[in-house]
């Protein structure tokens, strides 16, 4: 999909569609503050990219892909994200994941911002994501690319 390493995204937010169906306007406020972050859909729905572009029309151009569907039991979402990072992201890319299914990630995944299916992306989630992205920006500015973003407790 990318012609060379220079065009691969280095800052990514993986988005579970259920996580932003409620509160997309709040998520948009965070995205406006972090224009370098690209969006990748992490869902099994075939039309996931279109759904995210429709939910966030002002940020549609920042939707750059969708994680592959591995159809495996266990930590599926995490493994799908890792596969996407290996195949489509710049080396050392920093990332965060917004997800309503923490059981699809290893227990200590510090990049995960867990969201409620019922409440979606809330102001509290916005604060947690903003803090994670601030930490990532700091790491990039002081030490170069790092594959992790500190998790902020919900």
């Amino acid at each position: 999909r990318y012609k060379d390493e220079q065009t691969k995204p280095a800052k990514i937010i993986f988005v579970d569609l259920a996580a932003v169906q409620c509160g997309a306007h709040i998520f948009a406020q965070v995205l406006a503050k972090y224009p370098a972050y690209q969006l990748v859909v992490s869902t099994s729905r075939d039309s996931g990219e279109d759904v995210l572009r429709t939910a966030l029309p002002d940020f549609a151009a920042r939707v750059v892909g969708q994680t592959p569907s591995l159809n495996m039991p266990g930590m599926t979402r995490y493994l799908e994200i890792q596969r996407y990072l290996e195949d489509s992201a710049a080396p050392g890319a920093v990332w965060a994941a917004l997800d309503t299914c923490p059981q699809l990630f290893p227990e200590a995944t510090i990049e995960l911002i867990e969201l409620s299916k019922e409440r979606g992306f809330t102001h509290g989630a916005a604060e947690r994501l903003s803090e994670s992205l601030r930490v990532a920006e700091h790491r990039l500015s002081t030490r170069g690319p790092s594959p992790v973003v500190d998790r902020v407790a919900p």
Side-chain angles (χ1 to χ4, degrees), residues 102-123:
Q103 69 275 14
L104 299 178
F105 292 81
E107 192 172 311
T109 303
I110 58 176
E111 300 88 356
L112 175 63
I113 307 294
E114 183 181 339
L115 304 178
S116 161
K117 283 183 184 180
E118 294 78 31
R119 292 178 292 174
F121 196 85
T122 63
H123 289 287

Side-chain angles (χ1 to χ4, degrees), residues 34-81:
Y34 295 93
Y37 281 82
Q38 303 299 304
L39 304 174
V40 174
V41 177
S42 54
T43 185
S44 56
R45 295 169 78 175
D46 288 336
S47 61
E49 289 179 66
D50 292 335
V51 171
L52 188 57
R53 285 185 183 108
T54 300
L56 299 165
D58 293 342
F59 303 96
R62 289 170 53 184
V63 178
V64 297
Q66 183 165 331
T67 56
S69 181
L70 298 180
N71 295 320
M72 299 170 51
M75 298 174 288
T76 310
R77 191 70 49 83
Y78 179 79
L79 297 173
E80 291 169 348
I81 288 172

